[in-house]
Amino acid sequence: MTVRRPTRALGRADTATPRPVAPPAPVGRRRFAELTGSWRAALRIARRESRRSRRRTALVLAMIAMPVAALAFLAASYDMAELTPQERVDRRLGVADAQLQWIANTPVDQDEWGEGWSTRQGELPAKVTAAQLTALLGPGSRVTEVRPHVPLTLRGPHRDEVVNGRVLDLTDPLTRGLVRFRAGRAPQQPGEVAVSPRALRRLDLRLGHAVAAADGSRAYTVVGVVEFPDDLGPVVALHPGAVPSTGPEPDGVWLADVPGTVDAALVSRLNDSGVVVTARHLGSATGSDRTWLGSIMGENPNDLSTGVLIAGLGLLEVVLLVGPAFAVGVRRRRRDLALVAVAGGDAAQLRRVVLADGVVLGVLGAAAGLLVGVGAAFAGRPLMEQYVFSARFGGYRCWPSALVLLGGVAVLAGVLAALAPAWTAARQDVSAGLAGRRTPAKSPGRWLALGLALVVGGAGLAAFGATQTSPAVILTGLILGELGLVCCTPTLLGALARLGRVLPLAPRIALRDASRNRAAAAPAICAVMAAVASSVALGGYLASDGAREARAYRPALPTGHVLVYPIGTTGQPTLAQITDAARNQLGVGAVAPVQTPSCGTERTGYCDIAPVLPPTRACPWQPGVQLPEAHRQQARADPRCQIRQIDYLGGYVEAEVDDGTALPLLTGADPAATAAATAVLRAGGVVVTDPRYLHDGLVTVRVREREAAPDRETVLDLPGYALPGATGQSRLMLSTTAARQLGLSWSPTGWVIGTTTPPDEEQQARFAAALRPFGTLSLSVETGGPPRDVSPVLLLLAAAAGLITVGAAGVATALAAAEGRAELTTLAAVGAAPAVRRLLAICQAGVIAGLGSVLGIVAGLGTAAIVLFSVNRQYASDWPVSDPYPFLVPWPALGVLVLVPVVAMLGAGLFTRARLPIERRLD
């Protein structure tokens, strides 16, 4: 092909055709495009790297996804368990049109759902009948009564079982929507019952079996198995004829069926009569705002801040656990990062390359955790309903806003975990990175100074929060102190590495590797330290609080003694029957009746019977009154006011009528004191266990008759005796002569049994079974101290900290083994034994777990000491004087935490191959 050029005149030069020049882009838009392109490239590199390092990716995803899955499981379960207002109405009404509750004989105001109301001064109406309600509802309506809470005690296979009884007519179509029939039929007569599956298992029953009441008054035949969606516990459905209504029922409700709809006029008419209405189609017909009454107010700011800080501690724990994996990844990619720098990448772009790893792995971990958590919540819904919430859930929901927040927090955790390695990567030596050389680790002094400042400041802030009783401030101080220890850990590793020169080969190499790889070792050590410190600090506080409660405990009886009280007025055993049962089942025969004084037969009110302190011994200040500082100091210095706060708050004096028979069993007095007290009682006097009430051989007794018109008061000085060494609460023992002088009467209210050791549950069950034919009784056994339920909490805390310790040590040991492959090859080349590799893994796990546990124990004990000291200082100027918190070491938790590093070391040795890697050069 021939191309002809246009002819031009001689002597004229060719001129280029001018092209339009695009105006320069704005600076902001250009920078945004550069930033977007840089992040796009960094995310592509991160995605490629996650595919290359599959094991490291799986490790990071597991550590991010596990807490996300657990929280997503809880969020979805809670959202399904929290019923919507319409679901609550459907569950309460079943197939009825409305639920009615007659609560007063005066008008009431209610919210639109009938869950909250207010009433004016008025009394409960008398027994409500169906005719009264149908008259209010109008012609064509029908109602049926439901009593949801009726206490019921039935005889079980081993002991009496307390179950929840519900009185309703299951043959009525209105109640069929409240239950789900599993087997059998509805009770049709008073002697028939339907039971829930849990009650069926607890009472060991089958359809057609009979079950008796604990007092033996009647027996019931099981004819059906039903499930109440709002209560999956042991429930027994009773026929209305089995428990007739004898008076006002505060918890009783009525299900109503009306010809039309429940409109605002009907609701208003019922409210004017004192009836609260819950209607299915009420909507906003009442015109009331459901948020002003019966609703949950906003969260407490202190609780909200405390929850945020606890979540921050958990986030920091995840960051510290994931950080070593990113640090090792950066070191293995230092040549790639150096090539990026040689190609023109600046420090910001290098940081983005590493931070993109955190973004990609955070997103993947969040997605995996959310899917697993929500799926587990849906799959485990029946178990959660049965064993945790004891009620059926509403619809399948997953709380989207909470899941979005959890996903954002997971991505944030990934970014924060990659933050320190990204900063290190941006400052690495490019030449050393290209050559594959390792730059020596440095710990600038400013980090140590910053860490010490944060530790001191956090301790001071935690102490200040303890004096102000502010958990949010205390947690803030703990977080600052923990961050300070994180800053100090690299310097500590360097110091320990220098001290390791005198150690054998394996521990010396382990300390050297930890010092060289501080970016990976320090976060793992800090993760262990944080978990152990939190466990020890909380465990120390709980142990101190338990010891304080034990010191403040006031027994009601001598240790091992038993009080037996009858329940109800029908069928009470005699003293001989109680004695025979105690001798046969408990192996003791020391039994005495307990007689309680009351107002005389001519009095109609309630009598308050108590001894009176002499004016010279009575404290001039009253507890519970806000006293100024000067008066509190005077009260603390006054000998009359040197009584602890628990004695002021528990200053009730138990009054009994006795002739000396029950006195030794109630007080545990020695024989000499018992003989002297018995002589005073038989002479017509009184006995007190608090010597302050005795003056000049007399005890002033005051009887106040309350709820009478007018109130009457009787005060007499009676011959008295102060019983020394009495155990139990403060008592006033009246003789029969003294009771008559005060115008009192008395009656037996129970029996006291003296034993040498507290009877166990089996003995109590046998004793109760022996007395079952004589009526329903209540047993109260004095164990000598408060229930000890702190140890399980301490062990759970220690177990959680131990799990984190083992996990952190395992992750750090595995990463160190992958990073130190070249050193292991060198050891094999110089003739090291195969067991050296296993011993080295054991020492590396010991450095991580041991150092972290030691730092955590020290930090936890120091935190507990600061908090307890500050709390004691706060209460030091109070009056009445409160018991201080003793500083106790939680030895059960420490025992577990001391064994955890040993377990981590043994696990590292067990799962590490002994054969050293051997590599040869390829020619």
Side-chain angles (χ1 to χ4, degrees), residues 18 82 117 213 224 230 295 306 449 483 546 590 703 738 837:
E82 190 71 15
W117 62 80
D230 61 332
S295 63
T306 302
L483 291 176
V703 178
R837 179 177 184 181

Side-chain angles (χ1 to χ4, degrees), residues 538-777:
L538 188 56
Y541 177 80
L542 291 177
S544 300
D545 186 64
R548 182 172 180 261
E549 289 184 358
R551 183 184 301 174
Y553 179 77
R554 289 294 178 268
L557 295 169
T559 302
H561 289 204
V562 182
L563 268 180
V564 182
Y565 289 108
I567 299 177
T569 58
T570 60
Q572 294 187 8
T574 62
L575 178 61
Q577 293 169 341
I578 294 287
T579 304
D580 291 341
R583 182 182 299 109
N584 296 331
Q585 306 302 330
L586 304 180
V588 296
V591 182
V594 177
Q595 302 186 89
T596 303
S598 59
C599 295
T601 55
E602 70 279 0
R603 299 184 180 181
T604 60
Y606 163 75
C607 285
D608 180 18
I609 308 162
V612 180
L613 278 175
T616 57
R617 299 179 184 177
C619 181
W621 293 279
Q622 295 297 323
V625 180
Q626 296 295 331
L627 298 178
E629 177 65 25
H631 289 185
R632 288 203 303 269
Q633 293 181 357
Q634 295 177 11
R636 292 176 65 86
D638 194 329
R640 299 171 296 176
C641 304
Q642 298 300 314
I643 299 179
R644 297 186 304 170
Q645 184 179 17
I646 186 64
D647 295 326
Y648 268 112
L649 299 179
Y652 173 73
V653 179
E654 184 74 22
E656 283 115 0
V657 176
D658 189 37
D659 59 354
T661 304
L663 185 143
L665 300 180
L666 291 172
T667 62
D670 57 78
T674 300
T678 302
V680 173
L681 289 173
R682 292 179 178 176
V686 299
V687 174
V688 291
T689 57
D690 189 345
R692 296 180 304 155
Y693 293 108
L694 184 66
H695 58 94
D696 300 329
L698 301 174
V699 174
T700 303
V701 181
R702 178 179 59 205
V703 178
R704 287 179 177 175
E705 184 181 1
R706 304 182 183 275
E707 299 180 3
D711 291 349
R712 290 184 291 180
E713 179 175 302
T714 302
V715 179
L716 288 179
D717 289 335
L718 301 172
Y721 175 75
L723 188 67
T727 303
Q729 66 186 75
S730 182
R731 297 183 183 276
L732 169 65
M733 313 292 290
L734 300 172
S735 63
T736 55
T737 304
R740 291 191 187 96
Q741 292 178 4
L742 293 169
L744 302 174
S745 61
W746 59 91
S747 59
T749 56
W751 301 267
V752 59
I753 304 173
T755 62
T756 55
T757 58
D760 55 23
E761 293 186 359
E762 184 179 354
Q763 290 177 317
Q764 296 179 38
R766 292 201 307 265
F767 180 68
L771 296 176
R772 185 180 296 166
F774 310 115
T776 305
L777 302 174

